[in-house]
Amino acid sequence: MKDGDFTLTESVAILLYLTHKCKVPDFWYPQDLQARACVDEYLAWQHTTLRRSCLRALWHKVMFPVFLREQVSPKLLATTLAELDELLQLFEDKFLQNKAFLVGSHISLADLVAITELMHPVGAGCQVFEGRPKLAAWRQRVEAAVGEDLFWEAHEVIMKAKDFPPADPTIKQKIMPGMLAMIR
């Protein structure tokens, strides 16, 4: 993100910056100390858990075999999907619980970041909401809160991941080391 001469590259930092700069409604990043701490807790947790697992599912299931034409062993894919399933349960138990949204009765940045991460494996064909009625109902509430058109526009590219053409060999050579390091 560039704002004049100021640049940020990390997604959570960008979101927090924009909430302060644009004076967004309080529910996105609440002024209430405890509610804000709940948003912050989720944002800190997801970086090393849900984000990693959702990206691994996308890359192991679609991006390596389709985009990079690199096979992923069935054992590695099964391990990746089992890890995702465990984290989905933890996400439901620890953060969603029996609430409408992650921080209570209103959508927040935590919900936006969470749904963005969860749509990565969905784009890879994983049925992350199937068999999880609480999670599926939460997704519907998030979609309704942001608006159906905006929700799907935001996820349009990731939902087409399976249709990406194979990478040019030069691009593959450039991105492969970074991708391998990121998703291991």
Side-chain angles (χ1 to χ4, degrees):
M1 180 208 76
K2 248 182 146 5
D3 187 13
D5 293 337
F6 182 67
T7 302
L8 285 172
T9 58
E10 200 284 316
S11 60
V12 171
I14 292 168
L15 288 171
L16 294 175
Y17 177 83
L18 290 172
T19 63
H20 297 299
K21 179 177 179 167
C22 299
K23 308 278 190 266
V24 298
D26 187 65
F27 57 83
W28 289 114
Y29 194 56
Q31 292 298 312
D32 176 78
L33 185 60
Q34 292 179 355
R36 182 174 283 202
C38 290
V39 172
D40 291 340
E41 179 182 33
Y42 176 76
L43 295 177
W45 176 81
Q46 62 88 28
H47 268 290
T48 57
T49 51
L50 197 60
R51 172 180 277 182
R52 179 181 180 274
S53 188
C54 289
L55 283 174
R56 284 174 53 112
L58 173 67
W59 278 88
H60 289 167
K61 195 163 165 88
V62 171
M63 299 305 285
F64 277 122
V66 175
F67 184 63
L68 297 177
R69 298 286 191 223
E70 296 286 333
Q71 291 309 306
V72 173
S73 76
K75 182 180 177 183
L76 178 59
L77 181 58
T79 300
T80 297
L81 297 178
E83 176 187 287
L84 176 60
D85 191 56
E86 288 175 20
L87 285 171
L88 290 172
Q89 190 61 53
L90 181 60
F91 173 79
E92 281 187 281
D93 294 344
K94 180 174 177 51
F95 294 101
L96 185 55
Q97 299 168 350
N98 291 315
K99 300 176 290 202
F101 295 100
L102 297 182
V103 180
S105 59
H106 297 286
I107 193 169
S108 71
L109 287 181
D111 298 285
L112 286 185
V113 171
I115 197 64
T116 300
E117 300 303 348
L118 292 177
M119 293 306 285
H120 284 83
V122 171
C126 297
Q127 303 298 317
V128 299
F129 302 106
E130 196 171 284
R132 295 183 177 277
K134 234 184 343 186
L135 195 61
W138 166 79
R139 189 201 71 74
Q140 290 293 330
R141 287 189 296 272
V142 171
E143 181 180 327
V146 298
E148 183 180 0
D149 291 342
L150 183 57
F151 181 90
W152 289 109
E153 180 183 335
H155 299 106
E156 183 176 4
V157 171
I158 205 68
M159 295 307 292
K160 294 179 181 176
K162 295 183 295 267
D163 302 326
F164 289 170
D168 175 87
T170 308
I171 292 172
K172 178 180 173 179
Q173 187 177 20
K174 283 183 180 180
I175 67 171
M176 191 70 140
M179 288 298 104
L180 288 173
M182 181 179 74
I183 64 163
R184 286 197 176 165

